[in-house]
Each structure stands twice: as structure tokens, then as C-alpha cells.
Amino acid sequence: MGTRRTQQGFTIVEIVVTLAVLALVLFATMPSIAAWLANTQLRSVADSLQNGLQTARSEAVRRNQTMSFWLVQTDDPGVLGNECSLSSSSGSWVVSVNSPIAHCADAPSTDSSPMLVTGQAMGNGRPITVAAVQSNATAATNVTFDGFGRVTGTGSISRINVSGTGTRDLRIEISGAGAIRLCDPAVSDDNDPRKCTP
């Protein structure tokens, strides 16, 4: 009596069908993956800006002295270098007591101007647009907080709009009292906490 051998493994037809189904699933999800990545990059920039603003405010309260958040532009968007200048359209930022122009890469210090606390470069390869404005919608590059955490001085940033191609826009709002919040300009429902102020 002969023994019968059973065949194990996959046939070529099964492999081809499996690959075809996998390719269809990937093809169908590619646009949503690209949109998700773009929105993640945009959210990352908005979160970084919000964190910088909160750092400036908390340092002002902690030290009981004025502290400023500055938007800065550098030659290389991935690195905070000392060739920096102020810019209302940059996602890179510095927190310091005095203007950080040409000192963005200085070590943190409590006595050497610009008395830098921290900073962060926006990073390379991010097609994100940043626009910081005053309450009258003109461009602004910084906001200063006093020892009580309130916004002080004139010409301060009151809004930072963050947008990108194929993404939802976000906005950071800074009130005169120093409250900092991230909101979504596309939300129109008055009961939704994500709604921006008009």
C-alpha cells in the first residue's frame, strides 16, 4: 500500500490573488495616508508654537519678569543658528528676555543678553505656512508676557495661523490676559470648544 503525500504551501494563483488584494487596499488608502501625514506635520508645528508660547508665559510668572516669545527665520529651517532674524511667517521660535537677533543659538543664560531660555527650529521639508498677526491683522513677530502672565506692550502677536496644502488649518490665539489656546477656524458650532473667536 502506497503512502499518499499531501502538498503544503501556497499555489502561485493564491499568492497572485493575495498580492492583488493587498495592492488594491494600499491604493485605496494612499490618499488618506498622505492627508494624515500632512495633518500630523501641521499639528506638530502648531503644538510646537503653542508650547513655546506657554514656556514664555510660565517663565515670566516663575521669574516675575517680562519674557518674550519671538518668531525667527534662519538660513537653515532645521537648525537655530546665530544668523537668525525676526519673521512673522516662520515656524521657528525663541523664548528670551531681549531680542534674539543674531543670538538664536546662544546657550541659555539668566544674565547674558538676550537671556535666552529655549528655542526650536521648525524643521526641514514641512510645507507649512505660518502667519502671526496683531489684533488689527498686521504682521507681528513677538509677544511679551509680564510677571502675572499677561500680555504687555503694543504690537504683540494675538493670533498665529498655521496652514498647509491639503490640510485643515489651525490657529493659536493669545488673549490680553495671557490665555493661549489652539483652535480650528473651520469649526462654526458655537458649542464646540474647538471654535476660534471671530
Side-chain angles (χ1 to χ4, degrees):
M1 178 163 22
T3 58
R4 188 169 179 206
R5 297 173 99 189
T6 58
Q7 184 178 11
Q8 294 184 350
F10 300 105
T11 66
I12 290 181
V13 172
E14 291 171 327
I15 291 172
V16 168
V17 168
T18 302
L19 290 175
V21 169
L22 191 60
L24 285 172
V25 169
L26 285 173
F27 183 73
T29 60
M30 278 305 236
S32 61
I33 290 172
W36 177 80
L37 286 172
N39 280 316
T40 300
Q41 288 180 333
L42 184 126
R43 181 61 188 237
S44 176
V45 170
D47 284 343
S48 169
L49 292 166
Q50 184 181 28
N51 290 337
L53 286 160
Q54 289 170 338
T55 298
R57 185 173 189 257
S58 65
E59 282 296 308
V61 171
R62 186 179 74 81
R63 297 181 185 194
N64 193 27
Q65 74 176 96
T66 59
M67 186 67 63
S68 298
F69 168 89
W70 309 83
L71 289 174
V72 296
Q73 183 75 43
T74 59
D75 290 345
D76 180 355
V79 178
L80 278 179
N82 280 335
E83 77 291 345
C84 64
S85 59
L86 301 181
S87 171
S88 63
S89 61
S90 174
S92 299
W93 55 267
V94 169
V95 172
S96 63
V97 174
N98 301 315
S99 172
I101 294 173
H103 292 281
C104 293
D106 285 6
S109 172
T110 56
D111 54 13
S112 177
S113 190
M115 293 187 258
L116 191 126
V117 175
T118 188
Q120 185 168 335
M122 182 167 126
N124 291 317
R126 293 185 174 174
I128 307 296
T129 302
V130 174
V133 295
Q134 303 174 40
S135 56
N136 64 4
T138 58
T141 58
N142 69 297
V143 59
T144 301
F145 299 95
D146 65 16
F148 294 105
R150 297 177 301 212
V151 173
T152 183
T154 58
S156 295
I157 297 170
S158 66
R159 239 180 13 245
I160 303 175
N161 298 307
V162 185
S163 58
T165 305
T167 61
R168 73 186 200 291
D169 296 345
L170 294 174
R171 179 182 298 158
I172 301 162
E173 296 178 333
I174 305 116
S175 75
I180 301 159
R181 67 184 289 265
L182 186 64
C183 61
D184 186 341
V187 174
S188 59
D189 182 359
D190 289 336
N191 298 318
D192 193 326
R194 298 172 301 154
K195 182 181 179 190
C196 297
T197 56

